[in-house]
Structure formats: structure tokens, C-alpha cells
Amino acid sequence: TLEYVPVPAFTDNYIWLVSNGRDAVVVDPGEAAPVRAFLAQRRLRLSAILLTHHHADHVGGVADLCGDAPVPVYGPAAEAIAEVTHPLSGGDRVRIEAPAMELTVLDVPGHTRGHIAYFQAGRDGVAPHVFCGDTLFACGCGRLFEGTPAQMLASLDALAALPGETQVHCAHEYTLSNIRFALACEPDNAELRAWHEEAAARRARDEPTLPTTIAHERAVNPFLRAQREDVRATLAEQLH
Ligand code: ZN
Ligand code: FE
């Protein structure tokens, strides 16, 4: 079985590290130092790097990590990232030997034009996982730097259509501030209010609020609930 660890970086980034106890893959290493420290502490060997988009807080550590020992670097074909050795676009598959992982690439433009996500299908007793970078956050979504609102909505709809039990590995700890906006959209959403309590308690203990699940996001994330009449009505009211 694989372990999924959010390695904290900068002020609010998570570099997701997947390991089988010997080998590890990292997603979006914006800086090398916290990854190196974790690998050394756990005596793990880095076997591959996955990138979701070109922003520096996601790719800044790649050159340093590859300087230690070169590994395959997977990333979006539609973005210029010098270190990428395996360019990918929607529908492509990634197979990693150790840790044994098979991933399907999803095109999720919006935050950036070429942003991709990596979906790992589930099997008997093992949950599916998705690494979605800065597209879907717990209770929120990424800022539109390069894409259009329609592109982002389509990307969020594609992620929302994944199996409900999918573990969602987002690249930032933005949950509490996202919940403040979500509560303004849906003050009477009981599941959202309960999640606010729980998320605040976790942050008070300095614990991550991630991963979340697709089913949970469908219930509390206003960007996956934009078609709901009550969400629209509240937002329309607030715009006046
Ligand atoms: Zn970004
Ligand atoms: Fe980011």
C-alpha cells in the first residue's frame, strides 16, 4: 500500500509525496529543501517528479532535485517548463514502476492555460486519488491567471465527475479562507458549517485539512455547486 504525505513548503504549499516505504514520487516540488529533508529522514529514494503547471511555487525545486540524481519529470506539454522530460496532455497515461502507480492525465485549464491533473484509479479496497494542483481546492478553486471562467468551470466539472471517494490532493492550504467565502454563498449548508468547525480545529492543532474527497467537495464547495438556485440567489443578492 502507498502512503500519501503532504510535505509543507513556503507558507501554504503542499508538495504531495507518494511512497511505498522505499521509493517516492513528488508532485509540484516548488522547493527542494523540504523534499530532501523528508527523503533523508525516511531513507527514501526519489523515482519521479509530477508537475501540474508552470508556476514557480510548483516547479522551483525541480532542477535542484534532478541535480541530486536525474529522474523522469512529467508535466504539461502545453506549458514551457525546461525540466520536463515527459510532456503530457489530456488522456495520456503515466506508468511508474516504484512506487507502482498508474495515472491518467486530465486537462484542467483555467488557473493556467495548460494545467493538468493526475488521476489514479481505485481498485478493491484502495481509494482513487487525484493530484489537482491549483485547480480545485478544499471549498474553493484556483485563481484565473490565464484561462477563462468557462474553461475553469469545465475543468471543475470534470473533477467533480470523478468517483465520490476520490482522495483530492490540492497544492495549497487555503481551506479556512475558502470556507469564509463558501459560508457567504451558503450560510445554511449544515455540512459546510460542520466542516468549518472541523477544519478550524485541525488548523489550531497545526494539521493539514487535506486530502478532501470529491463527494465532500460536491457537498460544500460553492464552485462545484454553482448551478444550485440557492447559491445563485445568495450571490445575486450580495452583488447588489
Ligand atoms: Zn499556481
Ligand atoms: Fe500554487
Side-chain angles (χ1 to χ4, degrees), residues 13 28 52-58 111-112 115 133-135 137 142-143 145 171-172 174:
N13 283 69
D28 287 352
T52 62
H53 67 291
H54 68 84
H55 285 160
D57 64 313
H58 297 251
H111 178 70
T112 60
H115 200 302
D134 286 355
T135 300
F137 292 125
R143 279 218 279 164
F145 283 108
H172 288 271
Y174 287 159

Side-chain angles (χ1 to χ4, degrees), residues 151-215:
Q151 279 178 326
M152 180 55 109
L153 191 58
S155 297
L156 293 171
D157 286 346
L159 292 168
L162 295 175
E165 68 274 22
T166 304
Q167 303 275 305
V168 181
H169 304 281
C170 321
H172 288 271
E173 178 64 62
Y174 287 159
T175 311
L176 284 183
S177 61
N178 288 344
I179 289 176
R180 279 192 284 279
F181 176 75
L183 280 169
C185 298
E186 285 190 281
D188 300 326
N189 181 331
E191 195 164 340
L192 175 59
R193 293 164 67 128
W195 174 226
H196 185 206
E197 305 281 306
E198 168 67 19
R202 286 196 208 172
R203 293 308 294 147
R205 296 192 299 264
D206 211 24
E207 292 170 11
T209 58
L210 299 167
T212 177
T213 65
I214 291 294

Side-chain angles (χ1 to χ4, degrees), residues 7-203:
V7 176
F10 305 113
T11 51
D12 53 28
N13 283 69
Y14 290 130
I15 300 169
W16 286 94
L17 182 146
V18 185
S19 107
N20 59 8
R22 286 176 49 181
D23 311 283
V25 164
V26 289
V27 185
D28 287 352
E31 54 180 346
V35 174
R36 279 188 182 133
F38 190 90
L39 293 170
Q41 184 205 327
R42 301 280 295 268
R43 295 167 189 274
L44 297 168
R45 185 191 69 100
L46 186 66
S47 59
I49 295 173
L50 304 175
L51 304 176
T52 62
H53 67 291
H54 68 84
H55 285 160
D57 64 313
H58 297 251
V59 307
V62 175
D64 270 3
L65 290 172
C66 288
D68 297 342
V71 295
V73 180
Y74 299 88
E79 299 194 349
I81 306 170
E83 295 84 2
V84 168
T85 58
H86 293 64
L88 301 167
S89 37
D92 285 348
R93 290 187 165 241
V94 175
R95 176 182 285 232
I96 295 163
E97 302 257 327
M101 295 176 82
E102 275 202 38
L103 303 150
T104 306
V105 176
L106 305 173
D107 277 326
V108 287
H111 178 70
T112 60
R113 232 186 317 275
H115 200 302
I116 58 174
Y118 298 88
F119 177 69
Q120 184 181 23
R123 51 195 155 79
D124 272 357
V126 181
H129 295 264
V130 70
F131 301 93
C132 53
D134 286 355
T135 300
L136 176 63
F137 292 125
C139 263
C141 72
R143 279 218 279 164
L144 298 177
F145 283 108
E146 298 172 10
T148 66
Q151 279 178 326
M152 180 55 109
L153 191 58
S155 297
L156 293 171
D157 286 346
L159 292 168
L162 295 175
E165 68 274 22
T166 304
Q167 303 275 305
V168 181
H169 304 281
C170 321
H172 288 271
E173 178 64 62
Y174 287 159
T175 311
L176 284 183
S177 61
N178 288 344
I179 289 176
R180 279 192 284 279
F181 176 75
L183 280 169
C185 298
E186 285 190 281
D188 300 326
N189 181 331
E191 195 164 340
L192 175 59
R193 293 164 67 128
W195 174 226
H196 185 206
E197 305 281 306
E198 168 67 19
R202 286 196 208 172
R203 293 308 294 147

